[in-house]
Amino acid sequence: MNAHEFRRRGKEMVDYVADYLEGVEGRQVYPDVEPGYLRPLLPTAAPQEPETFEDIIKDVEKIIMPGVTHWHSPYFFAYFPTASSYPAMLADMLCGAIGCIGFSWAASPACTELETVMMDWLGKMLRLPAVFLAGEAGEGGGVIQGSASEATLVALLAARTKVTRCLQAASPGLTQATIMEKLVAYASDQAHSSVERAGLIGGVKLKAIPSDGKFAMRASALQEALERDKAEGLIPFFVVATLGTTSCCSFDNLLEVGPICREEDVWLHVDAAYAGSAFICPEFRHLLNGVEYADSFNFNPHKWLLVNFDCSAMWVKKRTDLTGAFKLDPVYLKHSHQDSGLITDYRHWQLPLGRRFRSLKMWFVFRMYGVKGLQAYIRKHVQLSHEFEALVHQDPRFEICAEVTLGLVCFRLKGSNKLNEALLERINSAKKIHLVPCHLRDQFVLRFAICSRTVESAHVQLAWEHIRGLATDLLGAQKEEKAEIKP
């Protein structure tokens, strides 16, 4: 494919993408395929001779689209949003064309410097304390990670290195192995499974702190765990506080947990993967109060801020905490400006060496929407979630299971877990909308998340009528079964 054909095919692809997104509402949100459907539809090996672009596009519709779950359908209410916008897609095209691997400033100066500035822009949108910003001479700063899971792991490894070096400096005879077997990390019992996974990868114990009646981690429970473990000779070193848990969007109490971490000299990492985008709105910024106690903070613009995946924003108060853990300088990666103090090499802030020019997506989106446009988008989703909440309240057969703060509603039929499992099965088997469940304590709960960029009140209303109708059918069928069982 030469430049002439690329121009033609590129325009065709833009049309295809625009048609797909404009028509995604008409596609079945969840596919009908069974596991293994794809292999029989493809040759057993790559073609020896070139094939045409037309044939490839035909096969996209014939082979790929039947197996796609349409995350951007206005009838997709599962998990959390995955961001999508035309400006971000255009920036992704440019990123792919430039094709730099921005592991250092010298590898592509614009790639590094735009990321530093965009992370400061975003930090200011959130009104993060200035200590988290790079500025022109700050000690902190931001970096784009691939996911919140990656950010948690990076923070844990940095904290592990920091405490190990500190203990060895005080007691030179201590081995790393001796320290490692005593290290303990903590998170709420509502924290995402990626936190537990970070502990597994990092080789440290991770303990769950029981949450309160609102599914939040509180100071008393954390303090009790710290005191108990210290009495047993263990070394608390890392706490993850979650703002907007995956199950029900609950918020750990930073203003309580933060001072304890500071007093105990324990690294506090704040994971706001979903909820963080909302903090650009003044009316939701109070949910971030206490972030000043954190050593690191992360959220995903690729969830709810119209920046396509992957773009996970992470800030640290002291960037030397990260670079101290990950810095290696082989001669082939060195360059003449790396010790100038004016720039950063992001390879020292992350697990992989290579990195894409992801800040272009932020730059395009922030400029083409503006802060006010992004705020309006968040507010619309929150309003729609409260609209769904109100509809649930109107039907006495249902109950709301957790406080609705942002764009997630947790609800269920009053009754057994088995009843609600059956309802979810009917919902997802019908494939008109898509939901996923969670467990809150011992209850099986249905999650309704406002996800799509194009979702409107009419979609929410239709989804609720569909759920109500399926619930009526289910309850009626159960009533008939009970009547048949009676002698």
Side-chain angles (χ1 to χ4, degrees), residues 140-197:
V143 58
I144 301 174
Q145 304 284 5
S147 66
S149 307
E150 195 175 325
T152 301
L153 176 58
V154 165
L156 181 142
L157 295 176
R160 190 188 73 180
T161 299
K162 186 176 182 180
V163 71
T164 299
R165 289 175 179 169
C166 182
L167 290 169
Q168 287 181 323
S171 304
L174 275 178
T175 65
Q176 185 172 344
T178 301
I179 295 170
M180 283 279 291
E181 66 183 13
K182 294 183 178 182
L183 292 179
V184 190
Y186 306 85
S188 161
D189 58 13
Q190 299 299 309
H192 193 272
S193 60
S194 62
V195 179
E196 183 178 359
R197 193 164 179 262

Side-chain angles (χ1 to χ4, degrees), residues 245-289:
T245 58
T246 301
S247 292
C248 65
C249 199
S250 58
F251 291 79
D252 290 340
N253 195 316
L254 280 187
L255 289 171
E256 288 187 2
V257 169
I260 292 174
C261 293
R262 180 172 290 181
E263 290 164 15
E264 300 287 345
D265 198 20
V266 169
W267 183 300
L268 175 60
H269 176 69
V270 176
D271 175 10
Y274 161 67
S277 296
F279 304 154
I280 68 169
C281 299
E283 64 269 33
F284 300 122
R285 175 54 179 79
H286 69 278
L287 296 168
L288 188 57
N289 288 350

Side-chain angles (χ1 to χ4, degrees), residues 341-369:
L342 298 174
I343 54 92
T344 186
D345 284 351
Y346 278 122
R347 71 180 189 272
H348 303 313
W349 295 54
Q350 60 176 27
L351 298 177
L353 174 65
R355 54 203 336 274
R356 300 174 68 244
F357 200 163
R358 292 175 291 202
S359 56
L360 282 171
K361 293 182 288 190
M362 299 170 74
W363 194 43
F364 275 44
V365 168
F366 296 166
R367 293 181 69 184
M368 295 193 75
Y369 278 89

